[in-house]
Amino acid sequence: METGIKDFARPVEASAIKELLPSRPRVLALGEPTHGEDTLLDLRNTLFRQLVEQENYRTIALETDCLKALIVDAYVTSGEGALDDVMRRGFSHDWGGSQANRELIRWIREFNAARLADDHVRFAGMDGPLEITGAESPRQALTALHAHLAAHVDADLLPCTADRLDELLGADAPWTDPAAMTDPSRSIGRTQRARELRLLADDMVTLLETQAPHLAAASSPADRDRARLYGRTAVGLLRYHSWMADTSPARMARLLATRDEMMAGNLLALAEHGPVLVFAHNSHLQRDKSAMRMWGHPRVEWWSAGALVSTRLGDQYAHLATALGTLRHHGVDTPPADTLEGILHAVPDPQYVIDAARLAAAARDTHAEPRVSPYFGYAPLDPSHLPRIDGVVYVRHVPRD
């Protein structure tokens, strides 16, 4: 078995990825099975640099807040701000502290500094302003969307004034109350003012569309793209807050699905302008349904952003899933031989990529079983997903950073 797999293993390089795919996809997604490991991020950095330089990808999107990411994009395209501050304010999930993320942003800025604006690499967040513990206030998205419209359309077309919007939003603290994630009664997502804000957000997004010819003449493409981002985010956040207030058994499934729908919307919008590289957890990028258990809830299933984007783009979406062998500082030791990771681990190379169809054949021959992880933060690769994955990147060992 080692010989069969090894014959098809290739170094994790842009040329090997190109061989796996019939053509350059519009969205090329690299998934990770666990968060926070710089070994995986360093590998991402090396591969993404090659794909930018050799395959002309010009957008890199990470699993981080799409609004905070605007700070990073301003830095990499124009040098706005200081790197330390950009890393602190431009990332969610505390990922601005990652050395590998810092190196990626530094490299993008250096790459762009020597090029004209239309050849710049742009940075984007695919996630909404969300954490696993809750969600942000819709204030930033709603007020920025209102300001864009107020600057370009007649005041009598606006569904409300800026003062009325501020009054309805109120203080941010009730929106961001972390207790609301586990206690629906603490959420304000279904109060009368939240319902009114949802209607106003819908009206403003509709105004963006109905005034599109005028806005195309009165504002720049970048400003319009940003306004649409604010609109998607406002609508998605208000929907998310509404489901936080839900008490039905479907609550968690709705929250997870809403988050991934926001991710999918962001990726599709980015893909309208050219090929996109995206890096996020496999559960957000796979074509199969995602599933998880949390906070004592039974197994929850939802369609990931990758599944939604793939449905829209077809073979213009590609997913490379990263699998790993050992993560000993989290209790993940050598994978059992009868698992998918066990098959991959038989090849001694520290890192390699392999065609998923070749690996699926080996998994069938050996009746590979899903690996069971002793660490909740690591999700092994499901052998049943291989027919809907384009390639597997294997990392033999992830040391403690």
Side-chain angles (χ1 to χ4, degrees):
M1 185 58 63
E2 175 186 340
T3 301
I5 292 295
K6 188 172 178 58
D7 285 345
F8 300 106
R10 298 289 182 268
V12 188
E13 298 174 348
S15 58
I17 304 305
K18 186 176 181 179
E19 289 178 9
L20 288 177
L21 306 172
S23 61
R24 183 184 66 176
R26 177 68 59 161
V27 176
L28 177 54
L30 176 63
E32 61 176 352
T34 186
H35 284 319
E37 301 296 338
D38 272 6
T39 296
L40 302 182
L41 304 188
D42 289 338
L43 176 63
R44 171 206 66 190
N45 289 356
T46 299
L47 181 59
F48 279 11
R49 288 170 188 169
Q50 292 178 9
L51 289 165
V52 164
E53 293 171 346
Q54 299 174 29
E55 298 298 320
N56 293 315
Y57 281 89
R58 287 298 182 265
T59 299
I60 292 177
L62 304 186
E63 186 186 333
T64 188
D65 181 340
C66 57
L67 300 188
K68 287 181 181 292
L70 295 173
I71 297 170
V72 183
D73 187 59
Y75 174 78
V76 299
T77 55
S78 67
E80 181 179 325
L83 181 56
D84 287 345
D85 185 59
V86 166
M87 297 305 298
R88 181 178 60 82
R89 297 191 300 117
F91 283 85
S92 57
H93 308 84
D94 295 323
W95 288 338
S98 161
Q99 185 61 32
N101 283 340
R102 185 184 183 89
E103 289 302 320
L104 177 66
I105 301 310
R106 180 187 286 117
W107 176 80
I108 298 174
R109 176 60 197 145
E110 291 174 355
F111 181 91
N112 288 342
R115 286 167 172 78
L116 298 175
D118 60 1
D119 193 34
H120 280 176
V121 174
R122 307 300 301 266
F123 181 85
M126 68 174 282
D127 207 349
L130 306 169
E131 297 279 359
I132 196 67
T133 54
E136 293 293 328
S137 163
R139 175 180 299 280
Q140 180 184 359
L142 281 171
T143 56
L145 174 59
H146 187 279
H148 174 81
L149 291 167
H152 299 296
V153 304
D154 293 339
D156 57 0
L157 291 176
L158 295 171
C160 68
T161 65
D163 287 344
R164 177 56 178 163
L165 194 61
D166 185 66
E167 178 185 352
L168 289 169
L169 284 163
D172 286 344
W175 292 102
T176 59
D177 181 2
M181 194 64 201
T182 53
D183 181 359
S185 70
R186 297 289 295 269
S187 172
I188 66 170
R190 292 189 177 178
T191 59
Q192 182 56 42
R193 63 189 178 103
R195 290 190 176 96
E196 187 171 344
L197 285 168
R198 288 188 76 181
L199 290 173
L200 291 173
D202 182 71
D203 285 342
M204 286 193 283
V205 170
T206 300
L207 192 56
L208 275 180
E209 297 302 321
T210 57
Q211 290 292 306
H214 168 67
L215 292 171
S219 60
S220 70
D223 284 344
R224 294 195 300 277
D225 284 342
R226 185 168 294 197
R228 285 191 287 268
L229 171 63
Y230 288 135
R232 289 193 306 274
T233 305
V235 169
L237 266 179
L238 287 163
R239 184 181 296 126
Y240 194 90
H241 278 288
S242 177
W243 284 116
M244 287 180 73
D246 184 49
T247 58
S248 78
R251 178 178 184 265
M252 285 307 303
R254 292 286 194 177
L255 287 171
L256 292 165
T258 297
R259 181 185 180 191
D260 271 73
E261 190 275 336
M262 292 175 70
M263 291 181 175
N266 287 333
L267 288 178
L268 288 168
L270 294 170
E272 290 177 5
H273 299 290
V276 179
L277 297 170
V278 57
F279 182 80
H281 197 279
N282 282 325
S283 63
H284 293 305
L285 300 176
Q286 64 193 37
R287 292 182 175 93
D288 288 83
K289 265 191 170 182
S290 297
M292 69 182 300
R293 290 182 174 87
M294 59 188 301
W295 298 324
H297 289 270
R299 177 183 169 94
V300 178
E301 295 185 345
W302 74 100
W303 288 108
S304 74
L308 300 178
V309 172
S310 178
T311 299
R312 286 281 297 276
L313 297 185
D315 61 7
Q316 285 298 296
Y317 177 79
H319 175 211
L320 306 174
T322 302
L324 61 86
T326 63
L327 188 69
R328 292 194 173 95
H329 53 286
H330 285 303
V332 180
D333 214 327
T334 303
D338 63 349
T339 64
L340 195 59
E341 286 80 2
I343 295 172
L344 292 164
H345 207 69
V347 178
D349 299 0
Q351 298 175 351
Y352 64 90
V353 62
I354 189 168
D355 176 47
R358 304 278 190 184
L359 183 58
R364 286 193 301 270
D365 290 344
T366 59
H367 307 287
E369 296 290 330
R371 186 184 192 183
V372 177
S373 171
Y375 170 48
F376 74 94
Y378 157 60
L381 199 56
D382 188 332
S384 69
H385 292 179
L386 286 175
R388 290 163 296 280
I389 293 173
D390 297 282
V392 174
V393 176
Y394 189 65
V395 178
R396 187 177 181 83
H397 174 55
V398 177
R400 184 187 296 273
D401 294 331

